[in-house]
Amino acid sequence: MTALDRRTFLTGSVLLAGAALTPPAAARAPSAMTQGSGVYRYNLGNYQLTALYDGVWYVPIDEKFVRNASGAEVNDALAAAFLPAGTLPISFTALLVNTGAKLVLIDTGTAGQIADTAGSLLDNFKAAGIDPKAVDTILISHFHPDHIDGIKTKDGAKIFPNAEIAVPEPEWDFWMDDANMSKAEGAVKRYFLNARRIFKDIAGEVRRFKPGSEVAPGIEAVAAYGHTPGHTAFAIHSGNQSMLAMSDTVRNPYLFARHPDWQPVFDMDGPQAVEARRRMLDRVAADRMLIEAYHFPFPACGHIAKTTGGYEFVPTEWKPL
Ligand SMILES: [Zn+2]
């Protein structure tokens, strides 16, 4: 240390010591009543992606929730994730893909029609500085209400009035079939009726795509049947980078990535859903591919590592662009 440095250093110390003698002003920091914005941006090749949070639904679950695991095993898995027993937190995060030429929204949130704690998607569009009218294309993964309700308000008005809506053809064929609906009961019956509420009067405008095809620029539909008959994931490619939007293939990472063979009652065809889940988890783990998943904790993106018994979700770290 030179003499000059030492003098500067000592002066600094003296100033600090002096400051400590002055009593601090009383802190006045009332608690905020709302959370910060649910917006997280990241880049993939030349595309910019925006994770837009819609909220969370705390779903009570019982011992029948997983067909092939006991209630105690499920509660142990929740405890291992530091979550309370008997409740599954299901968050909703829609993914907006800006290709540079098009704005593509993958799934649409709940429009406040599922849980009081969800329905903030449009607030987060606003926070992100994006006008819902600017969305060009909506891609739907499947017809469960938490993925399609955001197409319309409760009163039937389109929320993204200029967007073309594209849906998996096998999903459309299953849910819009009256013979299938007549056989359904309970919640599944309600899903049939809800699909009609959303799609019936706009049926002529809805594009139906075949999984395996490119459904928007750089976005390829990938069959992931089982959760529902036409449940679809989306591989997004830009430049030399790719990622997989897994939709509901895994649903909750602490239950179904760690225990990929578990069959929740949400999966309409349990064994087929397990096959899709394992196939996709294997692919993204082997390729070290970035993933996004609609119900994962916000911002719902990260990576998947293979473990001895299953897979582990490694969330992305918040970082500046
Ligand atoms: Zn879902």
Side-chain angles (χ1 to χ4, degrees):
M1 199 182 264
T2 66
L4 185 64
D5 286 342
R6 190 174 295 114
R7 199 169 63 230
T8 312
F9 176 77
L10 288 173
T11 310
S13 303
V14 168
L15 280 175
L16 280 174
L21 294 174
T22 313
R28 283 183 191 277
S31 296
M33 301 306 287
T34 53
Q35 185 54 278
S37 299
V39 174
Y40 182 71
R41 299 184 182 89
Y42 50 107
N43 293 320
L44 181 86
N46 303 316
Y47 287 5
Q48 182 160 83
L49 295 101
T50 307
L52 294 157
Y53 186 63
D54 183 60
V56 61
W57 181 26
Y58 297 102
V59 181
I61 56 172
D62 61 19
E63 66 283 354
K64 295 201 182 100
F65 173 60
V66 176
R67 296 186 188 104
N68 55 349
S70 69
E73 287 173 296
V74 173
N75 281 333
D76 283 350
L78 290 170
F82 303 91
L83 293 169
T87 302
L88 184 66
I90 299 184
S91 40
F92 309 103
T93 297
L95 184 64
L96 186 71
V97 183
N98 183 349
T99 70
K102 295 276 180 199
L103 275 185
V104 181
L105 180 65
I106 301 180
D107 287 337
T108 61
T110 64
Q113 296 168 63
I114 294 205
D116 291 347
T117 41
S120 60
L121 186 72
L122 291 184
D123 290 343
N124 285 319
F125 260 82
K126 199 168 176 192
I130 302 163
D131 185 343
K133 292 193 185 82
V135 174
D136 295 293
T137 304
I138 292 171
L139 299 177
I140 294 294
S141 66
H142 66 297
F143 282 15
H144 278 164
D146 52 317
H147 298 255
I148 61 174
D149 277 7
I151 290 174
K152 283 183 174 174
T153 65
K154 269 202 281 296
D155 306 322
K158 279 183 174 177
I159 293 175
F160 304 96
N162 300 317
E164 180 200 27
I165 299 168
V167 308
E169 187 167 65
E171 194 68 1
W172 179 278
D173 290 348
F174 176 77
W175 292 104
M176 301 308 277
D177 183 280
D178 290 339
N180 288 342
M181 183 164 80
S182 69
K183 286 179 260 169
E185 41 195 51
V188 179
K189 180 86 162 194
R190 289 198 297 279
Y191 299 163
F192 276 98
L193 293 168
N194 190 60
R196 279 158 179 70
R197 176 179 73 91
I198 298 288
F199 291 122
K200 207 149 191 198
D201 66 324
I202 55 170
E205 306 163 30
V206 175
R207 171 160 59 100
R208 299 162 212 172
F209 59 76
K210 290 198 196 317
S213 57
E214 188 181 48
V215 292
I219 305 181
E220 173 199 351
V222 182
Y225 306 154
H227 179 60
T228 62
H231 177 263
T232 295
F234 298 98
I236 308 171
H237 310 283
S238 177
N240 61 0
Q241 294 183 5
S242 294
M243 67 175 285
L244 189 66
M246 299 179 79
S247 309
D248 282 12
T249 309
V250 181
R251 228 167 204 278
N252 181 290
Y254 311 118
L255 300 189
F256 307 112
R258 288 180 178 172
H259 307 276
D261 294 329
W262 282 4
Q263 298 176 21
V265 291
F266 295 137
D267 289 346
M268 294 177 75
D269 183 329
Q272 190 183 30
V274 165
E275 187 278 320
R277 185 177 306 129
R278 281 198 165 276
R279 174 164 41 88
M280 295 216 168
L281 288 168
D282 269 340
R283 172 182 171 187
V284 295
D287 293 352
R288 301 177 69 81
M289 198 172 178
L290 185 69
I291 64 116
E292 184 273 349
Y294 191 72
H295 296 296
F296 277 23
F298 186 79
C301 63
H303 290 86
I304 296 287
K306 199 167 165 79
T307 63
T308 42
Y311 303 83
E312 188 72 20
F313 174 54
V314 183
T316 197
E317 185 178 16
W318 197 102
K319 53 182 178 290
L321 281 171

